Amino acid sequence: MIELSGVFYSYDDEEVLRDINLTIREGERLVLLGINGSGKTTLLKILNALLFPQKGIYTYFGVRVEKGKLKDREFTKKFRKEVVLLFQNPDVMLFNPTVYDEMAFSLRQLGFGEREIRERVLYWADRFGLLPYLDRTPFRLSGGQKQKLCLACLLVLEPKVLLLDEPTANLDPKTTGWLVDFLYDLKVTTLVSTHNLSLAPELGDRLIVLGEDHTLIYDGRVEEFLKDEDKMLKAGLLHRHRHKHGDKEHSHYHLHDHL
Ligand SMILES: Nc1ncnc2c1ncn2[C@@H]1O[C@H](COP(=O)(O)OP(=O)(O)OP(=O)(O)O)[C@@H](O)[C@H]1O
Ligand SMILES: [Mg+2]
């Protein structure tokens, strides 16, 4: 359904994506791993057509996604409904007076009737535990509740592709567990970025890894990558540290993993 072929992207002179080739089939659950600055957010923004490849091609169900194509209103409406992105900082997504309006916003934009909007909002608010807060201003929610609200705002659209940019970064372990289970049960194509190696196997079964050189250095099963020290070193996810224990110094590999 999604194909990137020879995609490059630079901000000014800084190349942040280099020759990315990627095919995603419907129903796949992908994890995107890479250290800070490797280009994860940029890649997700390209898939969400917020940025466009400067070289290379992005196609969605065989249709080339480029700036000019978004002038085609029929296509844009379909694309915006089907491919959605949860931002790394969800606060930037919230601007409506109430939780209800927030969840109804994009459905209204896309021309849904109030009755269907109400049905969808109530259904997803219930699944996300947001029913008690429908009249509250989104700013008076906790960080985790805001994150859930942002995700609910995307799911009311019943998308085909859900892109999530470090969704667990601000969640406590319990809410992280909830999200992992929730995503597991969701029958939608997902691509979740994280720099947390230990969460990767929980978030998907196919792993793609952006290296420090901004190329895709791995595309395969999560478990295989976790056995490949060379690849992990290349990704900057593993580091050799020296430690002193008493008067003995030794060095060993250390996972760069922060929960
Ligand atoms: N709007 C921008 N203008 C200029 N440079 C940018 C912009 N956005 C990102 N960059 C640079 O591009 C590189 C890749 O950024 P990106 O946000 O895609 O990385 P990331 O893998 O998502 O990092 P993180 O794990 O910190 O979220 C970084 O060096 C960053 O400084
Ligand atoms: Mg990022």
Side-chain angles (χ1 to χ4, degrees):
M1 70 192 304
I2 279 178
E3 189 144 2
L4 294 179
S5 149
V7 164
F8 286 75
Y9 194 88
S10 307
Y11 295 100
D12 305 318
D13 291 339
E14 188 192 352
E15 198 170 67
V16 298
L17 292 177
R18 190 170 293 159
D19 196 20
I20 306 295
N21 294 288
L22 176 68
T23 304
I24 303 177
R25 285 167 289 276
E26 242 175 316
E28 283 194 297
R29 289 166 17 94
L30 277 80
V31 185
L32 168 60
L33 199 62
I35 57 163
N36 292 135
S38 56
K40 300 181 297 295
T41 297
T42 306
L43 181 59
L44 291 170
K45 284 184 175 169
I46 286 178
L47 292 171
N48 194 221
L50 298 174
L51 299 173
F52 301 91
Q54 287 147 347
K55 213 171 123 195
I57 293 176
Y58 170 20
T59 57
Y60 178 67
F61 284 111
V63 178
R64 184 159 175 188
V65 181
E66 50 192 341
K67 210 169 186 171
K69 188 68 191 163
L70 293 191
K71 295 201 184 94
D72 174 345
R73 291 187 58 174
E74 268 314 293
F75 174 79
T76 303
K77 196 170 158 183
K78 178 175 135 69
F79 187 84
R80 291 280 170 241
K81 196 180 108 44
E82 292 183 3
V83 182
V84 299
L85 168 63
L86 181 71
F87 281 78
Q88 189 162 359
N89 171 8
D91 268 6
V92 302
M93 294 175 73
L94 302 171
F95 53 90
N96 279 282
T98 68
V99 167
Y100 184 94
D101 289 321
E102 198 69 63
M103 290 180 71
F105 181 80
S106 27
L107 292 168
R108 286 181 179 143
Q109 291 275 300
L110 290 167
F112 282 77
E114 279 301 324
R115 207 163 127 207
E116 178 157 16
I117 291 177
R118 192 170 173 75
E119 263 172 31
R120 288 194 185 199
V121 168
L122 292 182
Y123 173 77
W124 287 103
D126 187 24
R127 282 196 66 177
F128 281 80
L130 291 168
L131 280 177
Y133 308 111
L134 284 176
D135 295 326
R136 193 182 276 199
T137 163
F139 295 107
R140 284 192 46 232
L141 297 176
S142 74
Q145 286 168 334
K146 281 184 188 165
Q147 187 102 347
K148 282 186 175 177
L149 171 59
C150 289
L151 191 52
C153 287
L154 300 176
L155 288 168
V156 291
L157 294 169
E158 296 173 4
K160 287 198 160 117
V161 182
L162 179 60
L163 309 165
L164 302 117
D165 200 357
E166 309 224 14
T168 60
N170 300 312
L171 300 182
D172 62 29
K174 183 168 169 236
T175 318
T176 299
W178 172 87
L179 184 69
V180 165
D181 289 346
F182 180 83
L183 292 175
Y184 190 81
D185 292 334
L186 203 65
K187 299 288 168 258
V188 172
T189 308
T190 48
L191 173 52
V192 190
S193 87
T194 180
H195 53 251
N196 188 327
L197 205 50
S198 59
L199 263 185
E202 314 232 25
L203 292 169
D205 18 63
R206 177 175 164 199
L207 176 70
I208 55 176
V209 182
L210 274 172
E212 288 181 289
D213 62 356
H214 307 289
T215 63
L216 265 193
I217 60 165
Y218 184 81
D219 181 351
R221 299 204 51 87
V222 179
E223 308 80 49
E224 294 300 314
F225 180 77
L226 295 176
K227 284 186 227 150
D228 192 336
E229 275 183 2
D230 287 344
K231 283 252 161 58
M232 286 204 277
L233 275 170
K234 196 171 170 206
L237 291 161
L238 199 64
H239 200 87
R240 207 167 167 80
H241 273 296
R242 286 194 312 192
H243 292 265
K244 263 198 160 154
H245 296 294
D247 57 356
K248 285 210 174 78
E249 187 177 290
H250 76 131
S251 67
H252 61 90
Y253 285 115
H254 171 85
L255 278 182
H256 278 176
D257 214 342
H258 315 277
L259 257 178

